[in-house]
Amino acid sequence: MEKKEVAKTSEAEIAVHWKEEDLYYPSTKFIAQANLTDESVYDRFSLENFPECFKEYADLLDWYKYWDTTLDTSDAPCWKWFVGGKINACYNCVDRHLEKNKNKTAIHWVPELENERIQHLTYQELYVRVNEFAALLQDFAGLKAGDRVTLHLPMVAELPITMLACARLGIIHSEVFGGFSGNSCADRIVDSGSNVLITIDGYYRGGKLLDHKANADIAVEKAEKDGQTVDKVLIWQRYPGKNSSPTPMVDGRDYFVNDLLKDYRGKRIDPVPMPADAPLFLMYTSGTTGKPKGCQHSTGGYLAYVTGTSKYIQDIHPEDVYWCMADIGWITGHSYIVYGPLALCASSVIFEGVPTYPDPGRAWRIAEELDVNIFHTAPTAIRALRKVGPDEPAKYNYHFKHMTTVGEPIEPEVWKWYYNVVGKGEAVIVDTWWQTENGGFLCSTVPGMKAMKPGSAGPGVPGIHPIIYDDDGNVVPAGARKAGNICIQNPWPGQFQTIWGDRDRFVSTYFARYCKNEKSKDWRDWPYLAGDAAMLADDGYYRILGRIDDVINVSGHRLGTKELESASLDVIEVAEAAVVPVADEIRGMVPDLYVSLKPGYDPSPELAAKISQSLCDSIGKIARPRKVWIVPDMPKTRSGKIMRRILAAISNNKDVGDTMTLANPDIVDDIKKISQDMIEELKESKKALMKE
Ligand code: WT7
């Protein structure tokens, strides 16, 4: 029962106190140019027309061969879309645009340093670079369709170039967020069975040139220990022709891509026609157990879905300048920086750095210089920008027609600042709810058709039919003012196919809860459990309240509490660990870590710092706890379970409630006393967190 107790102190608690908000309407100017204003779309994508309705999305793409079966359910619930179809994702994002648009900018790459000019890659240039690198992957690295390759790249143009080169050959890419540690990268190398790692020597973040090559050494070494050999490390250079990392190269293993590319100048590689249901990439995400899940996304279904939603929900037109500030190392970047926008022949902005560095005007100067008109980011970034520079946007001459928020619930106050100040009252906002597993948006308003409601994502997007169940499997109806578990009734083409190498976990995590008949091959029997609590208002708008499992949403990204706890147990002094979510002004949620020590060890600030660092080393800086509490013992039930609910209440300055059922009720006061002593220290560590 512990799981639910943690959830009670998560976002849900804050959110249910929100009142119903007023509606905001899109301007006639926006509606006049919108890609979708035809109400009949909801009929066309109704359950009666399922699954054939999704042909409309697939027809946005070029196919070598049309499919025979739109939705194959024979291996339920591992759905297969557009079976029999042949398609290449790289061809659709690059080659097909050359005839009419080769001279158009595909990618605006914005280096963090403002004295380095923005680079504008045309579709032709992207085509050339992708082809040459694909030739290298094939001939030098010996990679072929179906092989997995791990990428550990930051926000540089070489990241989409690498992804597209893989896609051209049917190689399954698995990009690990650049900010993740070498150790995290190793786990993903091992799980995916990659024998090639593609990385970069260094990159800029917050004004510092980081040594990224060092992470590759850690990753390869750990992967080797865990049974996966990496024979080749391909290293892009932040400054082509120059080494920006002090970490030595390993002979016979490490290669600078720019040296090798000389042999591939002018090479062209035909795109490989891939089966629509062949995997395109893996994207790892956290779950309730320690081991990250490799979400396996398909080629045809995924690309159709992100292209359709980019067109109709992001409202991208070929002439738009579109800036999604997410990192390509997360699913948002894959779907809505790279694949969706490029399939639509848009110009997509990639920004290397931190939007508040070197000052709060940085993001808005980029928007002004490039004349960005579609802007896409997360509440955590909006909160940070609002905090450091609430009046900055007005100083810059940019105009957005459309803005997106994604990743966590947005507080109505923050939404209104986004709308009035960032959007200058001129831009529509879509609040898009979805997950790594889903490929693309699940709930959102269609921007030219529906009113906006601050704090609510909106109805299911066309073709997505959500439903809320209570714990007993009863449907929670619209307007019930009660939260429940949000599920999706039907499959959709963007949905992941399985967890890489772990079909059982796929079925048990997402489908077992509300499955009506385990033997059934009918999709109607397999509602998809998203793992979020949600409420449905009378008007059909969903408000997402937060996770129902042991997952903490930090800055819009999921960290498994078990993952953090097991990382802290790597420190030899630590006997037990418990992680709880704490509400944070900027990052939404942050983890607090409680540990008790093995006999013979004493608490000290140095030990707390060491434990905190160990989380950063094994997962990445995003996992840094707000506070490490070294406590004499954990509050436990009589059966010995750690009561995270009580720890969460202490961390969040809430009433701990009834403690009499504990085996050791006195410990609660001891922990509270420790909390008093630490208040000053906490203020300090919060300042440090803000800087990161
Ligand atoms: C979890 C998924 C998919 C984009 C990035 C995050 C939360 C996501 C919203 C939203 C409220 C949201 C959910 C979800 N979430 N978007 N618009 N409103 N909550 O992907 O790391 O897989 O996290 O983020 O809790 O389950 P992710």
Side-chain angles (χ1 to χ4, degrees):
M1 283 287 92
E2 255 171 274
K3 280 186 191 171
K4 272 181 218 143
E5 281 154 2
V6 173
K8 271 189 203 150
T9 53
S10 74
E11 281 108 312
E13 190 169 301
I14 312 164
V16 283
H17 296 120
W18 294 349
K19 60 174 181 34
E20 272 300 298
E21 293 285 332
D22 294 337
L23 297 178
Y24 289 63
Y25 292 89
S27 67
T28 45
K29 188 172 167 200
F30 181 85
I31 296 169
Q33 62 81 61
N35 279 329
L36 183 57
T37 50
D38 172 7
E39 281 284 347
S40 75
V41 67
Y42 288 104
D43 290 334
R44 296 201 307 277
F45 282 80
S46 67
L47 280 177
E48 288 75 65
N49 295 327
F50 180 86
E52 297 306 323
C53 54
F54 282 110
K55 179 169 186 295
E56 208 171 310
Y57 282 4
D59 277 341
L60 296 170
L61 303 174
D62 287 357
W63 294 77
Y64 296 108
K65 180 179 171 285
Y66 252 175
W67 54 93
D68 317 305
T69 312
T70 304
L71 174 64
D72 175 354
T73 64
S74 60
D75 188 25
C78 296
W79 317 121
K80 291 194 185 72
W81 283 88
F82 309 124
V83 176
K86 287 274 172 67
I87 190 166
N88 184 279
C90 177
Y91 177 86
N92 274 281
C93 292
V94 185
D95 304 45
R96 69 167 174 157
H97 305 317
L98 296 182
E99 194 188 330
K100 292 200 178 115
N101 286 301
K102 62 166 154 308
N103 211 18
K104 177 176 195 285
T105 301
I107 292 169
H108 297 282
W109 181 61
V110 185
E112 189 183 72
L113 300 183
E114 270 187 291
N115 61 4
E116 288 181 13
R117 297 304 307 179
I118 297 177
Q119 294 176 21
H120 311 276
L121 255 87
T122 62
Y123 274 95
Q124 172 67 19
E125 215 172 329
L126 181 62
Y127 170 77
V128 169
R129 295 195 61 186
V130 165
N131 269 279
E132 292 178 353
F133 191 57
L136 188 161
L137 290 178
Q138 177 184 277
D139 297 345
F140 180 78
L143 293 166
K144 55 178 190 325
D147 291 345
R148 280 82 53 211
V149 53
T150 298
L151 283 45
H152 194 197
L153 287 166
M155 289 289 280
V156 291
E158 285 73 13
L159 174 48
I161 289 169
T162 303
M163 290 161 63
L164 292 164
C166 290
R168 197 167 188 82
L169 295 167
I171 299 163
I172 304 169
H173 58 77
S174 168
E175 152 73 1
V176 178
F177 168 55
F180 273 158
S181 65
N183 286 313
S184 283
C185 182
D187 295 343
R188 289 151 175 80
I189 289 173
V190 175
D191 191 75
S192 62
S194 306
N195 51 27
V196 174
L197 171 64
I198 305 176
T199 185
I200 194 166
D201 52 358
Y203 64 99
Y204 280 96
R205 194 85 196 152
K208 278 187 279 200
L209 180 61
L210 305 180
D211 176 8
H212 194 55
K213 161 69 167 68
N215 292 321
D217 289 11
I218 296 170
V220 172
E221 199 178 306
K222 176 157 194 280
E224 179 75 43
K225 256 192 232 141
D226 296 346
Q228 178 64 41
T229 303
V230 173
D231 342 288
K232 288 194 173 69
V233 179
L234 304 180
I235 304 163
W236 289 101
Q237 288 164 319
R238 173 62 174 76
Y239 296 99
K242 186 179 151 221
N243 185 3
S244 300
S245 159
T247 306
M249 298 287 278
V250 175
D251 225 22
R253 186 198 77 182
D254 297 352
Y255 301 91
F256 285 123
V257 172
N258 291 305
D259 292 346
L260 302 172
L261 274 176
K262 296 190 180 95
D263 296 338
Y264 298 92
R265 184 135 309 143
K267 284 266 165 25
R268 300 289 179 264
I269 295 284
D270 286 337
V272 178
M274 295 298 294
D277 59 327
L280 178 62
F281 67 87
L282 306 179
M283 171 62 65
Y284 283 84
T285 190
S286 296
T288 52
T289 66
K291 197 169 172 243
K293 303 180 273 199
C295 297
Q296 176 184 319
H297 285 283
S298 73
T299 307
Y302 170 82
L303 196 65
Y305 196 70
V306 299
T307 306
T309 48
S310 292
K311 179 160 182 176
Y312 299 123
I313 308 298
Q314 288 302 116
D315 202 58
I316 297 176
H317 301 59
E319 62 275 20
D320 289 324
V321 183
Y322 167 80
W323 182 15
C324 171
M325 232 167 52
D327 197 289
I328 300 174
W330 308 111
I331 191 72
T332 304
H334 274 48
S335 300
Y336 297 114
I337 296 179
V338 181
Y339 285 113
L342 297 184
L344 292 173
C345 197
S347 300
S348 188
V349 178
I350 297 180
F351 173 45
E352 180 182 31
V354 181
T356 50
Y357 178 85
D359 59 69
R362 177 63 162 138
W364 318 126
R365 285 198 292 283
I366 296 170
E368 183 182 76
E369 174 162 352
L370 291 172
D371 202 14
V372 171
N373 65 346
I374 306 181
F375 184 67
H376 186 155
T377 190
T380 182
I382 303 170
R383 288 185 213 111
L385 288 162
R386 174 175 179 248
K387 177 151 191 184
V388 296
D391 307 320
E392 285 299 302
K395 299 179 191 160
Y396 297 92
N397 182 23
Y398 69 82
H399 295 275
F400 298 150
K401 67 166 183 177
H402 179 294
M403 303 192 300
T404 306
T405 169
V406 62
E408 54 180 316
I410 185 165
E411 300 81 356
E413 269 316 296
V414 177
W415 191 100
K416 286 172 198 164
W417 181 79
Y418 196 35
Y419 184 82
N420 291 316
V421 180
V422 177
K424 305 180 177 182
E426 303 163 337
V428 295
I429 295 182
V430 290
D431 180 343
T432 58
W433 169 70
W434 59 298
Q435 313 169 291
T436 305
E437 292 86 338
N438 310 149
F441 306 144
L442 294 181
C443 283
S444 166
T445 52
V446 174
M449 275 170 53
K450 297 256 179 213
M452 303 158 245
K453 195 202 281 184
S456 287
V461 297
I464 299 293
H465 301 276
I467 188 163
I468 299 180
Y469 290 117
D470 67 15
D471 284 341
D472 304 321
N474 305 308
V475 176
V476 180
R481 306 204 118 262
K482 253 176 49 193
N485 303 319
I486 187 166
C487 295
I488 309 298
Q489 301 177 58
N490 59 299
W492 64 97
Q495 173 74 320
F496 68 144
Q497 299 176 297
T498 186
I499 295 173
W500 179 258
D502 203 344
R503 189 186 192 279
D504 290 348
R505 192 176 177 197
F506 172 74
V507 178
S508 66
T509 308
Y510 302 100
F511 298 96
R513 181 92 181 249
Y514 294 113
C515 177
K516 293 167 198 159
N517 170 8
E518 277 168 23
K519 300 233 155 53
S520 171
K521 304 287 177 205
D522 185 339
W523 55 265
R524 291 170 194 81
D525 291 324
W526 295 92
Y528 167 78
L529 174 77
D532 282 324
M535 272 167 69
L536 176 57
D538 282 325
D539 54 14
Y541 278 43
Y542 289 89
R543 179 186 288 170
I544 307 299
L545 305 173
R547 302 288 310 172
I548 55 172
D549 54 17
D550 290 345
V551 168
I552 304 182
N553 189 327
V554 181
S555 303
H557 297 292
R558 282 148 62 182
L559 295 176
T561 51
K562 289 279 184 318
E563 208 178 341
L564 301 172
E565 288 165 6
S566 66
S568 54
L569 289 171
D570 289 346
V571 177
I572 53 158
E573 290 91 340
V574 175
E576 284 183 306
V579 166
V580 297
V582 186
D584 179 88
E585 230 184 309
I586 303 290
R587 304 205 298 170
M589 286 286 151
V590 287
D592 251 16
L593 173 64
Y594 288 81
V595 294
S596 64
L597 303 180
K598 290 177 191 158
Y601 293 110
D602 293 322
S604 69
E606 292 73 34
L607 179 56
K610 177 170 138 185
I611 297 168
S612 174
Q613 189 56 40
S614 106
L615 262 65
C616 298
D617 292 345
S618 59
I619 297 162
K621 272 192 189 161
I622 192 170
R624 187 191 295 285
R626 179 188 72 141
K627 180 74 217 153
V628 177
W629 308 75
I630 303 180
V631 296
D633 195 6
M634 300 285 182
K636 285 185 188 148
T637 61
R638 296 209 175 105
S639 63
K641 274 196 181 166
I642 299 175
M643 290 291 280
R644 289 179 178 74
R645 174 179 63 80
I646 289 177
L647 298 173
I650 296 173
S651 279
N652 288 288
N653 279 323
K654 296 249 165 73
D655 181 7
V656 294
D658 184 10
T659 57
M660 288 328 287
T661 54
L662 292 181
N664 53 350
D666 294 346
I667 198 72
V668 176
D669 281 334
D670 294 346
I671 297 176
K672 277 194 194 152
K673 246 180 245 137
I674 296 175
S675 84
Q676 285 306 314
D677 299 344
M678 284 176 171
I679 282 172
E680 276 312 303
E681 211 184 309
L682 247 181
K683 283 186 189 150
E684 287 306 305
S685 67
K686 196 158 183 192
K687 273 187 217 148
L689 267 181
M690 284 287 302
K691 281 189 202 127
E692 266 165 28

